[in-house]
Amino acid sequence: MSKLWDRMLLVPTVIRLASRAPRDPAVAWDGYWRGIQTTGRSGDVLWDSGSQTEYAQYSADVVAHFDPALPVVDVGCGNGSCTRWLAGLFPRVLGIDVSAGAVELARRESDGLQNVDYMVMDAAELGAGAQLLERIGPANIFVRGVFHVLKADKQASLADNLRTVIGSSGRVFLAETNFHGTSLAYMQELGATRRSVPRQLQSALENLPRPGRFGAQERRSTFSDSEWTLITDGPIDIEVVPMNAAGLSQQVPGYFAVLAGA
Ligand SMILES: C[S@@+](CC[C@H](N)C(=O)[O-])C[C@H]1O[C@@H](n2cnc3c(N)ncnc32)[C@H](O)[C@@H]1O
């Protein structure tokens, strides 16, 4: 059977699973995180590979461009895997997430780490940037896998908030999935067939807003030249958890950018 035909046969499964997802993204994310039992490479969370190979693609840029005198905010931190990685590189890291369930999990998983803190916050809400600035002062921002799950208006308000937080010396590092193909092709790439959908993908489909892609084009329309200066960008590989019988690493095409204020 052709790959295309197999993809078409996925349609009813995807419609059935996605029809269960709550319409309000904040409710959806919290429901998702509260259902998570296990994390890490063999866990329930699709994107939580904690891959050192993936982090190795980011280290040189974050170390070169983030002023270590400033705190780092991990925006949309989830269960805090990237926050903990950043805490090994920088003196002070704050993870923020719209989901209280995610923040509870991140706190539990970061027990004993002295330079990590977490806070529940909708980073795309009007005024969130000013609130963060008041709490911690100017900061560097790390974002992995958040812009591609937001609608364009929320992407724009998140970028506005980040601009407020970085001030004149902070920088933004973003890493996002940038799969060029239909969402069905994406699911197929992750291992879905008409007979079975990997459990990590199934729980994302059942609970979460449908993701888009975020590459150079989306970055240009979200981070305007009047407000932002692009320092560097390019392709990267985002590693998801292994969802194949052999347990082999799985990557999704991604995009990274480092930005400063204009
Ligand atoms: C795909 S996950 C990525 C999690 C984490 N950055 C990582 O790479 O492991 C997206 C995360 O963004 C959070 N999120 C979604 N919308 C948000 C918002 N408006 N403000 C803050 N966090 C948000 C979700 O709860 C979720 O934890």
Side-chain angles (χ1 to χ4, degrees):
M1 185 169 307
S2 80
K3 222 174 168 182
L4 185 63
W5 182 240
D6 211 33
R7 190 175 303 161
M8 296 322 295
L9 292 174
L10 265 176
V11 172
T13 310
V14 171
I15 291 174
R16 180 173 47 80
L17 293 175
S19 65
R20 299 176 191 164
R23 295 279 168 264
D24 178 337
V27 172
W29 279 107
D30 203 46
Y32 172 80
W33 281 114
R34 288 189 187 281
I36 294 301
Q37 304 289 328
T38 58
T39 57
R41 195 177 156 85
S42 58
D44 303 337
V45 181
L46 179 62
W47 52 85
D48 188 31
S49 62
S51 161
Q52 295 303 318
T53 313
E54 184 186 327
Y55 293 150
Q57 300 171 98
Y58 310 153
S59 317
D61 278 311
V62 293
V63 169
H65 297 293
F66 282 9
D67 175 353
L70 302 184
V72 179
V73 182
D74 180 11
V75 172
C77 62
N79 59 309
S81 290
C82 299
T83 323
R84 289 184 289 280
W85 168 68
L86 289 163
L89 299 175
F90 297 99
R92 190 176 161 209
V93 188
L94 173 69
I96 64 169
D97 203 284
V98 71
S99 158
V103 166
E104 282 167 24
L105 195 53
R107 284 202 177 112
R108 275 205 302 279
E109 293 188 3
S110 306
D111 196 28
L113 275 182
Q114 299 301 318
N115 61 337
V116 171
D117 200 0
Y118 292 99
M119 185 166 84
V120 180
M121 177 179 254
D122 180 346
E125 198 176 51
L126 190 70
Q131 221 181 305
L132 258 181
L133 187 64
E134 196 180 299
R135 183 181 158 133
I136 56 164
N140 296 302
I141 304 285
F142 179 89
V143 195
R144 176 182 182 259
V146 181
F147 278 97
H148 83 287
V149 301
L150 297 176
K151 297 229 174 346
D153 60 331
K154 294 290 182 186
Q155 291 174 342
S157 48
L158 175 55
D160 280 351
N161 286 331
L162 301 190
R163 182 66 193 85
T164 302
V165 178
I166 63 166
S168 55
S169 50
R171 302 287 181 263
V172 172
F173 179 98
L174 64 85
E176 295 287 335
T177 56
N178 185 27
F179 182 82
H180 280 259
T182 63
S183 41
L184 286 177
Y186 182 53
M187 282 163 215
Q188 219 173 12
E189 171 98 357
L190 292 177
T193 69
R194 70 201 159 92
R195 286 196 190 83
S196 70
V197 176
R199 66 186 172 84
Q200 297 91 340
L201 180 57
Q202 173 158 343
S203 68
L205 271 174
E206 276 175 331
N207 289 285
L208 299 177
R210 193 193 298 189
R213 75 170 76 104
F214 198 90
Q217 193 183 324
E218 290 75 19
R219 192 263 311 150
R220 271 192 295 272
S221 49
T222 307
F223 293 83
S224 67
D225 288 346
S226 59
E227 294 286 327
W228 294 94
T229 304
L230 177 69
I231 298 174
T232 179
D233 71 344
I236 40 139
D237 291 318
I238 300 271
E239 194 165 323
V240 293
V241 294
M243 291 174 285
N244 54 77
L248 300 173
S249 298
Q250 284 180 242
Q251 280 90 15
V252 175
Y255 169 77
F256 89 96
V258 181
L259 297 129

